[in-house]
Amino acid sequence: MDEEKKMIEVIKNANFDFVGKFKFTSVISIGLVVISLFGLFTKMNYGVDFRGGAEVQVKFAEALKLQDLRTVLKKGGFKNISVQTIGEVKDNEFLVKVPGAEENLNKVTEALGKTLKTGLAAKAPEIRKVDIVGPKAGASLRIAGFQAMGWALIAIMIYIGLRFDFKYSPGAIVALLHDVSIILGVFAFTGTEFTLQTVAALLAVIGYSVNDTVVIYDRVREHEEKEAGMGTLDNFINKAANETLSRTILTSGTTLFVALSMYFYGGLAIRDFFFAISLGVIIGTYSSIFVAAPVTLLFDTLKKKDELPVGARA
């Protein structure tokens, strides 16, 4: 029995005209990407990892709530701080990230220690470790993070080209760029910090999104081989999207459920990571059909025009 027949059909005999919606969805996607890129270059809130600052690991003798620690630090005059727990809750250990210029980072860490010992003296704070990240090192990390995503996209383009046909590669890459751009835009406009954790989440999103795209591409290729000369690429894309719709809903739905559960109940330390993953599942599922497929159709049309005699071209 076919794997497809074994799978639960959420929508039986789906017959949606996805291709007919491409003009409308393309306008929406281009608009979202342009807005997102504007936010990326003007409003992105880079964390200490990327802009420089100090990371202070502190342990308390007694239990302390994360919010109480934040309140004490804000009263001490520290702005744009990032605080997260380390290890088990019972360890009462936290990592405090404070932005600052390279020339005054030592003063910042000293002031932080005084604030903790004054405002939380009853909890017996102990500074266990101090790491200082200069602005130059932060800038290098930021560049390295974007380079990692760039290399991932290039590797995926080569894989898609070898696995299917190079006419499919641009669609997959544009879809991934679309996904990453919009997620970064949401981070920028919501003021969420962009950190190394975010880069890890984006790489995970790239992997998830391309997997969804490959499933549809694989089905399109099957139809091209079985029905050679009996249909057009847009018909094959419609068939492939409808045939894999139940699989897409089930896979994306369960993944999104887990990601949202971790976002709401996993704690502040991993919230931003799963915020990016949740966005990636939603946007990646959309782009597999409404971004990758239209770009593939466009390149296929251009390729056919190039193959026509000069006098026969429109």
Side-chain angles (χ1 to χ4, degrees):
M1 188 181 289
D2 261 344
E3 187 180 343
E4 274 41 287
K5 292 180 180 178
K6 293 179 182 178
M7 185 177 289
I8 299 171
E9 286 191 59
V10 178
I11 301 177
K12 293 186 177 181
N13 302 317
N15 189 28
F16 298 103
D17 182 18
F18 291 106
V19 174
K21 307 294 187 298
F22 284 173
K23 289 183 180 179
F24 176 69
T25 56
S26 295
V27 172
I28 293 176
S29 293
I30 291 170
L32 288 174
V33 169
V34 170
I35 294 169
S36 297
L37 290 175
F38 171 78
L40 171 62
F41 290 110
T42 61
K43 297 180 178 294
M44 183 60 76
N45 178 24
Y46 290 104
V48 171
D49 300 323
F50 296 135
R51 63 182 172 182
E55 293 184 351
V56 180
Q57 187 174 331
V58 57
K59 182 177 176 64
F60 295 90
E62 296 183 20
L64 177 68
K65 292 182 179 178
L66 198 62
Q67 190 56 47
D68 292 340
L69 177 56
R70 280 200 178 93
T71 301
V72 169
L73 291 173
K74 285 182 180 179
K75 285 181 179 179
F78 293 95
K79 297 179 180 179
N80 299 321
I81 57 170
S82 171
V83 186
Q84 64 188 64
T85 56
I86 299 176
E88 300 291 333
V89 176
K90 63 182 179 181
D91 295 335
N92 305 319
E93 201 161 344
F94 301 87
L95 183 65
V96 181
K97 297 181 180 181
V98 189
E102 193 166 11
E103 60 272 10
N104 66 357
L105 283 176
N106 288 323
K107 292 180 181 179
V108 168
T109 54
E110 287 176 12
L112 179 65
K114 288 179 181 178
T115 300
L116 291 173
K117 289 176 182 177
T118 303
L120 295 165
K123 304 290 185 180
E126 175 194 351
I127 304 294
R128 310 196 78 179
K129 184 181 176 185
V130 176
D131 288 324
I132 292 177
V133 181
K136 289 182 181 179
S140 296
L141 279 173
R142 185 167 66 243
I143 292 169
F146 284 110
Q147 283 179 337
M149 287 186 279
W151 284 115
L153 293 176
I154 291 171
I156 287 168
M157 181 174 69
I158 295 171
Y159 164 73
I160 296 290
L162 295 175
R163 170 84 189 272
F164 300 99
D165 188 300
F166 276 100
K167 74 179 180 182
Y168 292 103
S169 293
I173 297 306
V174 171
L176 293 176
L177 288 172
H178 165 276
D179 300 346
V180 171
S181 298
I182 294 178
I183 293 171
L184 290 175
V186 173
F187 266 63
F189 285 107
T190 58
T192 307
E193 271 196 339
F194 183 79
T195 63
L196 285 172
Q197 193 180 78
T198 311
V199 174
L202 289 174
L203 290 171
V205 166
I206 287 172
Y208 177 87
S209 183
V210 76
N211 176 69
D212 208 34
T213 303
V214 163
V215 169
I216 295 175
Y217 277 174
D218 198 42
R219 190 56 59 86
V220 171
R221 185 178 63 174
E222 282 183 18
H223 284 295
E224 282 186 319
E225 291 174 353
K226 290 179 181 178
E227 303 172 39
M230 299 170 60
T232 57
L233 184 59
D234 54 350
N235 288 331
F236 295 150
I237 288 173
N238 254 343
K239 286 182 180 180
N242 279 294
E243 289 170 359
T244 58
L245 189 58
S246 290
R247 179 259 176 207
T248 299
I249 293 172
L250 288 170
T251 305
S252 299
T254 51
T255 306
L256 183 61
F257 174 76
V258 173
L260 287 174
S261 298
M262 294 301 292
Y263 172 76
F264 287 110
Y265 303 109
L268 291 171
I270 58 174
R271 181 164 292 177
D272 290 350
F273 179 87
F274 282 100
F275 179 47
I277 294 293
S278 300
L279 288 172
V281 172
I282 297 169
I283 300 167
T285 301
Y286 161 87
S287 70
S288 294
I289 298 173
F290 293 110
V291 177
V295 174
T296 301
L297 271 175
L298 175 63
F299 273 82
D300 185 61
T301 302
L302 293 174
K303 181 182 177 183
K304 286 178 179 176
K305 280 187 178 181
D306 287 339
E307 291 172 352
L308 290 172
V310 177
R313 295 178 191 176

Short mmCIF file of all heavy atoms in Angstrom, two decimals, residues 11 93 168 211:
data_model
loop_
_atom_site.label_atom_id
_atom_site.label_comp_id
_atom_site.label_asym_id
_atom_site.label_seq_id
_atom_site.Cartn_x
_atom_site.Cartn_y
_atom_site.Cartn_z
N ILE A 11 -7.97 16.74 4.55
CA ILE A 11 -8.88 17.26 3.53
C ILE A 11 -8.93 16.23 2.40
O ILE A 11 -7.95 16.05 1.67
CB ILE A 11 -8.40 18.63 2.99
CG1 ILE A 11 -8.31 19.65 4.13
CG2 ILE A 11 -9.34 19.14 1.91
CD1 ILE A 11 -7.77 20.99 3.70
N GLU A 93 20.96 30.14 39.45
CA GLU A 93 22.08 30.72 38.71
C GLU A 93 21.55 31.41 37.45
O GLU A 93 20.67 30.91 36.77
CB GLU A 93 23.07 29.62 38.33
CG GLU A 93 24.45 30.15 38.02
CD GLU A 93 25.52 29.05 38.10
OE1 GLU A 93 25.23 27.98 38.68
OE2 GLU A 93 26.62 29.28 37.59
N TYR A 168 14.51 24.30 -10.52
CA TYR A 168 13.85 24.32 -9.21
C TYR A 168 14.64 25.09 -8.15
O TYR A 168 14.08 25.56 -7.17
CB TYR A 168 13.64 22.89 -8.70
CG TYR A 168 12.64 22.08 -9.50
CD1 TYR A 168 13.05 21.11 -10.41
CD2 TYR A 168 11.27 22.27 -9.33
CE1 TYR A 168 12.13 20.37 -11.13
CE2 TYR A 168 10.35 21.53 -10.04
CZ TYR A 168 10.78 20.58 -10.94
OH TYR A 168 9.87 19.86 -11.66
N ASN A 211 12.75 21.29 3.46
CA ASN A 211 12.19 19.94 3.48
C ASN A 211 10.76 19.95 2.95
O ASN A 211 10.36 19.08 2.16
CB ASN A 211 12.23 19.38 4.90
CG ASN A 211 11.58 18.00 4.98
OD1 ASN A 211 12.08 17.03 4.46
ND2 ASN A 211 10.43 17.94 5.65
#
